[in-house]
Amino acid sequence: MKLAVLFVALASAGVTSAAFAAQLQGKVTDNQGNPVTNALVSVDGGNQVTTDAQGQYRLQVADNSHLHLHISSDKFKHSEQDLKVSSGTITQNFTLSASQIENIVVTASPLGRSALESTTPVTVLSDDQLKLNTEPTLGDTLDKLPGVQASHFGAGASRPIIRGMDGPRVKILENGLSVGDASTVSADHAVTAEAASAQQIEILRGPGTLLYGNGAIGGVVNVVDKRLHEQPVDSFNGEVGARYDTANDGKTLNADLNGGNGQFNWHLDGTRRRTDSYDIPGNAIAEDAATHGTVDNSQLKLDEYAGGVGYTGDNGFIGVSGVRTESNYGIPGRGEEGAPDITIDLKKTAWQLHGGLLNPFAGFSKVRLDAGYTDYQHAEEEDGDADTFFYNKQTEARLTLNNTPWGEWQGAMGLHFIHRDFSVQGAEQLTPNSNTDTVAAFIMQERKVNDFRFELGGRIESYRLKPEAMTLDTLAGEEAYQPQKLSDVNGTLSAGVVWDFDPSYNLSVALTRAERSATAEELYSYGPHDATQSFELGSEFRVENGQIVVNAGNADKEIANNLDLTLRKLDGSWTGSLSMAYNRVNNFFYEANTGLIASDLVNSDEEGDLPVYQYAQGDAELYSLEAQAKIPFNDLWSLDLFSDYTRGKLVDGGNLPRISPLRFGSTLNFDLDQWHADVGMIAYSRQNDVADNETETAGYTLVNASVTYRLFSDNGDMLLYLKGTNLTDQEARPHTSLLKDYAPLMGRNLMLGVSYSF
C-alpha cells in the first residue's frame, strides 16, 4: 500500500492548487432549445462537470492545449467536439438529439465512453429499473438482462453468468475494484456486492475488460455505489427505501445520505434485509411430498453499513470509503432424512481509496489511483455449529494514466497489482491455503477517423499461485500432499471499431485474444462439500477405476479467441440492437459430473451418495446471440422484446454443463404522466443439449407485471411501486443451477416498495 500512501500525499497538495489558466463554458440544449440538466461534459482523460438546471456548464482546462470534449446524457445521443484552447474564457454551446435508448456513461471503461459507443455490448442497470430489479443476490438482480443468467444457488448465493461463463471467468467489481470475497471458489459462496446501495450496475464484455485481467475472460460486472464523489457536493441529499415481498415474508430497508460544502464531502448508507424460506407452487424435490410448498432452509438475513469522506478541488479529487457486511443464509438440502441444515455465516470489511490528479505532468491529462483492502471470512455451519472457516484477505491497487494525443491516438495505460491470501480451516478443507500474486501492465488507445472509431488494447500479466501443503483423507489414513506452484505470464490483445454509418445506426466489431490461469479450486479441490452436496476434485487429480490418482502438472492456461459483432439502431419507429459472438477457448476448465458417487472412490474414506464432480479441461466453443428492441406505438404504449441464446460445446464432442437454453421475453408498457405500468413474460426453452451425466431441463414461462407512481414535491420525490413475479405460479427449475432438482425458483410473489429521495 506504499503506492496509496504516496498518492495521498500528492493529492493533498494537488487538489488544493489550481493549475488551469482557461475556462470552458456554455449551454447544452435539446433540439427544441430546452436546457438539458445533468448532462456530463468531460475532456478525454481530464476534468468533467455536469450541467445545472439551466443546462449551463463551466469547466476548468489547461490553456494552449488540444482537447477532445464529450457531452452525454441518458436520454440523448452522444456529442463530441475537438477544441484548441487558449488562455481566458471560451464559450462552446451544444445541441443534443434525443435518443430512445438510454445512453449511460460506463465508469468501468477507462476511456469514459457511453454504452452506445462501446465496441462490444454493454448493459447498464440504473434508476427505477434498478430498484424494480433489485433482488437479495447480484445474480438474481441481473438475471433478466440479455446475455446474462444466474447460478440460482438458493436465496443467498446466486452469481451472474455471462454468455455461458461464470465463476472465475466473470469479474465482480465494486467501483472498479475486485469485490474480494470467496464467491469464485464455490457456487454456495455469496457475492458481497449489494445492489440495494448501488447507483448503477454495469455489465461489460470484450476489450473493456482489459483493465481487470485474470478472471475477466468472460466479462465484468461493476457495481457502482454513491460513496465516491469526483465532482463537488454542495448540498445535503439522500434516499430512503422500504420493500416487502409476500413469497418469503421479505423485509428490506435501505438509506443513503450525502453532504458537502463544495470541497469536503461525506456519505453514509445502510441496508437491512430479512427473509424466511420462500414459497414454491409444488414439491421442492419432485417425488417428496414432504417438501411441498416451501424450499426449506432458504432464509436470509443481511446487514450492511458504509461510510465515506472525500475532497474535491480544481485539480483533482480524493476519497476513502469503508463498508461492513454481515450475512447469514441457508443452503437448500437434498431432502435426506436426518441431514443437517447448512448455513453460511459471512462477515466482510472492505476499504477503498480513489483519487485523481489532472494534468500531473507533460504528455498526460490525468493520473488516477484506485486501491482497496478486503478482509473476508465465512463459516459453514451444520445445524448452527461451525465446522469449516474460509478466509480471504486481498490487497489491490491500479494506477491509470490518461495520455494527451499521441498523433491521433489517445487513451489510457497503467499498472495493476493484486495480492490474495486465501485459507480454509476445519472439517471440509477442500483446497490448500494459498497466496496469489498478480502484477500487470495495460494500455488502451483509440483514434477517430471520420465515421470510424478504432480501439486497440493490450495487457501483460505475471500470475503466481503458491499453495501450501494439504492433507488428503484416504482409506490408509491422512496423507500429506504438496501441490505444485503455478507461475504464468498471460497476455491479452484486443482490437475494435465502431462505425457510425448512418445517424440512426452504428456497427461495432471486436476481436479479443485473452489468457487465463487456473485458480486454486480448479487445480487442487479434494473432498466432500456438504454445502454444494458433492465430492469435488481438481484437475491435479483423476479417477481411474475408482482410484483417486495424483495428476500433477497437467493443467494448461485457458486461451480464448473471441469475435463480437453488434448492430445498434438508435432512433426511428423502433430502436434496438443485435449482438453475435463466437468464442473459441482452448484448455477450457469445466466441472464435469463423473457419474460416480463418493462411496465409489475406493481410496477415499467418504461414504454416501454425494455425486463426484471433477474439474477437467478441453477445447470449447461458445456461440452467443442477443437481440432486443423497443417499439413505441404512441405516447402511451410501447413494446419491449428480447431474446438470447448460448450454445456451449466441446470441440472433441459433447456439451458444456449448465448452459442456459434459448430465452424469449416481451413486455407491454403503459406510460401516462407519473404513472408507469407493464406486463410481460419470459419463456425458457427446454434444454436438451446436456453434458455427460447431466439431466435435461423442462422449459417454463414466467409472467411478471409492475405498476409505479412518482410523486413530486418541493422537498423531494417519492416512488411507489408494486411488482408481481411468476404470477401464474409456474414451477421453474433453471438449467444453470446445481440445485435445480432440490430448489426450484420462487413461486408467485408480490413486492410492494417505496423510495423517497430528497
Side-chain angles (χ1 to χ4, degrees):
M1 297 297 287
K2 292 182 180 179
L3 186 61
V5 175
L6 175 61
F7 194 85
V8 170
L10 290 173
S12 298
V15 297
T16 58
S17 60
F20 303 98
Q23 176 175 273
L24 282 176
Q25 65 179 27
K27 188 173 184 179
V28 180
T29 59
D30 61 18
N31 287 327
Q32 285 72 46
N34 301 312
V36 178
T37 62
N38 293 319
L40 182 66
V41 182
S42 62
V43 175
D44 268 352
N47 207 354
Q48 60 183 26
V49 71
T50 55
T51 56
D52 61 18
Q54 288 73 46
Q56 296 177 342
Y57 73 93
R58 289 181 175 84
L59 187 66
Q60 300 291 333
V61 296
D63 66 344
N64 299 318
S65 61
H66 177 269
L67 301 178
H68 194 67
L69 202 62
H70 293 266
I71 303 88
S72 58
S73 183
D74 295 357
K75 304 298 183 182
F76 295 87
K77 294 181 184 178
H78 173 267
S79 180
E80 54 190 319
Q81 180 72 46
D82 285 304
L83 297 175
K84 177 63 179 176
V85 176
S86 57
S87 299
T89 300
I90 301 95
T91 299
Q92 183 70 49
N93 298 323
F94 293 93
T95 301
L96 300 182
S97 300
S99 172
Q100 297 179 33
I101 302 178
E102 202 165 34
N103 190 27
I104 300 174
V105 173
V106 181
T107 65
S109 167
L111 305 177
R113 298 293 170 257
S114 64
L116 299 185
E117 297 175 281
S118 173
T119 55
T120 53
V122 174
T123 304
V124 181
L125 196 62
S126 64
D127 300 329
D128 292 355
Q129 187 184 15
L130 176 56
K131 289 185 178 65
L132 287 171
N133 280 34
T134 293
E135 297 292 345
T137 66
L138 186 62
D140 291 346
T141 298
L142 306 179
D143 181 47
K144 296 176 178 61
L145 300 178
V148 184
Q149 291 83 31
S151 60
H152 295 298
F153 204 93
S158 182
R159 280 184 59 91
I161 301 171
I162 297 178
R163 293 175 169 178
M165 294 192 180
D166 64 348
R169 295 184 191 89
V170 174
K171 195 83 166 180
I172 309 297
L173 309 173
E174 290 181 296
N175 303 312
L177 294 171
S178 174
V179 72
D181 54 30
S183 59
T184 62
V185 175
S186 183
D188 63 302
H189 298 172
V191 177
T192 55
E194 177 55 55
S197 59
Q199 179 177 343
Q200 65 186 48
I201 302 177
E202 307 162 351
I203 302 98
L204 291 79
R205 294 80 141 172
T209 68
L210 268 173
L211 267 70
Y212 309 107
N214 200 72
I217 198 171
V220 165
V221 176
N222 186 33
V223 179
V224 183
D225 57 45
K226 306 172 186 177
R227 298 161 194 160
L228 168 68
H229 298 284
E230 295 189 31
Q231 299 302 313
V233 177
D234 57 4
S235 63
F236 175 68
N237 62 78
E239 183 175 3
V240 294
R243 161 180 160 176
Y244 177 74
D245 291 81
T246 60
N248 58 6
D249 194 29
K251 307 174 186 69
T252 303
L253 299 172
N254 64 280
D256 70 76
L257 298 172
N258 303 277
N261 63 1
Q263 291 182 320
F264 291 99
N265 58 76
W266 57 269
H267 170 90
L268 295 171
D269 72 70
T271 300
R272 180 180 177 88
R273 181 179 292 116
R274 298 290 186 272
T275 74
D276 293 338
S277 293
Y278 65 82
D279 296 338
I280 54 174
N283 296 337
I285 301 172
E287 305 301 326
D288 188 353
T291 64
H292 183 80
T294 304
V295 174
D296 290 333
N297 201 39
S298 60
Q299 73 283 348
L300 165 73
K301 62 179 180 180
L302 174 138
D303 292 290
E304 180 177 280
Y305 42 92
V309 293
Y311 185 89
T312 59
D314 291 337
N315 201 29
F317 70 95
I318 188 168
V320 179
S321 66
V323 59
R324 174 69 173 179
T325 304
E326 298 181 359
S327 177
N328 187 287
Y329 58 92
I331 303 295
R334 303 167 66 207
E336 295 180 346
E337 186 175 351
D341 285 339
I342 307 297
T343 54
I344 306 293
D345 190 54
L346 180 157
K347 296 178 174 62
K348 171 186 159 183
T349 302
W351 297 93
Q352 290 192 350
L353 166 71
H354 302 274
L357 291 172
L358 302 178
N359 298 301
F361 38 81
F364 293 91
S365 55
K366 185 176 183 179
V367 58
R368 178 183 176 112
L369 177 71
D370 301 279
Y373 174 76
T374 303
D375 186 353
Y376 168 96
Q377 68 178 64
H378 82 249
E380 297 194 357
E381 302 174 337
E382 296 187 3
D383 290 334
D385 296 325
D387 62 354
T388 306
F389 300 85
F390 289 75
Y391 301 92
N392 191 64
K393 294 185 178 181
Q394 185 163 306
T395 303
E396 180 177 9
R398 185 173 55 253
L399 184 69
T400 306
L401 286 163
N402 291 78
N403 61 282
T404 53
W406 297 342
E408 297 296 326
W409 292 91
Q410 187 163 339
M413 65 204 70
L415 301 173
H416 190 195
F417 162 80
I418 300 177
H419 173 76
R420 183 189 189 199
D421 186 358
F422 178 76
S423 61
V424 186
Q425 299 176 10
E428 292 186 2
Q429 187 178 9
L430 298 180
T431 59
N433 300 337
S434 61
N435 292 323
T436 305
D437 288 290
T438 302
V439 180
F442 60 86
I443 184 170
M444 294 186 68
Q445 296 288 304
E446 70 171 15
R447 178 183 179 183
K448 186 78 180 290
V449 180
N450 299 322
D451 294 329
F452 296 88
R453 186 169 57 82
F454 297 94
E455 185 178 300
L456 298 174
R459 178 183 173 104
I460 187 73
E461 173 182 276
S462 170
Y463 178 89
R464 297 181 183 274
L465 173 61
K466 183 180 178 181
E468 297 179 6
M470 60 188 299
T471 301
L472 310 181
D473 290 327
T474 71
L475 287 177
E478 293 186 346
E479 294 183 4
Y481 174 63
Q482 177 61 61
Q484 292 187 353
K485 300 177 184 178
L486 179 62
S487 180
D488 280 333
V489 175
N490 296 323
T492 301
L493 295 172
S494 69
V497 60
V498 179
W499 179 25
D500 297 311
F501 63 90
D502 182 274
S504 299
Y505 293 85
N506 71 29
L507 175 68
S508 64
V509 181
L511 293 167
T512 308
R513 185 188 187 278
E515 297 177 338
R516 184 184 76 90
S517 296
T519 61
E521 57 273 14
E522 291 170 324
L523 294 174
Y524 314 127
S525 294
Y526 183 104
H529 192 184
D530 288 340
T532 61
Q533 297 152 44
S534 62
F535 190 101
E536 300 175 12
L537 285 173
S539 66
E540 282 219 346
F541 308 96
R542 68 179 187 274
V543 180
E544 293 182 356
N545 300 320
Q547 295 268 352
I548 302 175
V549 180
V550 174
N551 191 38
N554 199 34
D556 297 312
K557 61 185 176 183
E558 290 183 346
I559 302 174
N561 294 283
N562 185 77
L563 170 65
D564 215 308
L565 296 94
T566 301
L567 175 66
R568 302 181 181 98
K569 188 175 187 298
L570 309 179
D571 57 24
S573 58
W574 64 276
T575 56
S577 64
L578 173 66
S579 299
M580 296 175 287
Y582 169 75
N583 204 352
R584 166 66 184 256
V585 187
N586 296 333
N587 311 314
F588 186 87
F589 274 97
Y590 62 99
E591 198 173 8
N593 188 338
T594 64
L596 302 173
I597 59 175
S599 58
D600 294 331
L601 303 175
V602 297
N603 60 335
S604 169
D605 65 352
E606 183 65 23
E607 299 178 354
D609 61 352
L610 289 178
V612 178
Y613 283 86
Q614 165 83 63
Y615 281 101
Q617 282 190 281
D619 295 344
E621 292 181 318
L622 294 101
Y623 305 84
S624 299
L625 176 69
E626 298 139 26
Q628 54 186 326
K630 187 176 188 68
I631 307 171
F633 300 122
N634 51 44
D635 291 339
L636 300 179
W637 296 94
S638 65
L639 180 67
D640 292 329
L641 302 170
F642 94 91
S643 182
D644 60 11
Y645 174 70
T646 298
R647 178 77 170 93
K649 61 182 183 178
L650 294 167
V651 173
D652 293 335
N655 299 305
L656 293 176
R658 295 184 297 280
I659 299 294
S660 177
L662 173 70
R663 294 192 302 180
F664 173 79
S666 63
T667 302
L668 181 65
N669 304 286
F670 175 80
D671 292 278
L672 176 64
D673 298 328
Q674 284 75 51
W675 288 95
H676 170 84
D678 60 63
V679 60
M681 65 85 184
I682 302 179
Y684 293 74
S685 300
R686 181 181 185 86
Q687 181 56 286
N688 49 24
D689 292 324
V690 295
D692 292 341
N693 303 308
E694 185 180 50
T695 59
E696 296 184 0
T697 303
Y700 53 90
T701 300
L702 302 178
V703 177
N704 308 305
S706 68
V707 177
T708 67
Y709 178 75
R710 187 172 291 279
L711 180 65
F712 297 98
S713 71
D714 293 337
N715 297 321
D717 302 336
M718 180 176 291
L719 177 70
L720 302 170
Y721 54 94
L722 175 65
K723 181 179 179 179
T725 57
N726 195 7
L727 291 174
T728 59
D729 215 19
Q730 177 88 184
E731 182 177 286
R733 298 183 184 270
H735 189 74
T736 55
S737 174
L738 282 166
L739 299 182
K740 69 172 185 175
D741 294 328
Y742 320 121
L745 297 185
M746 185 183 292
R748 183 185 298 113
N749 179 52
L750 295 179
M751 177 181 74
L752 177 64
V754 58
S755 177
Y756 178 71
S757 58
F758 55 91

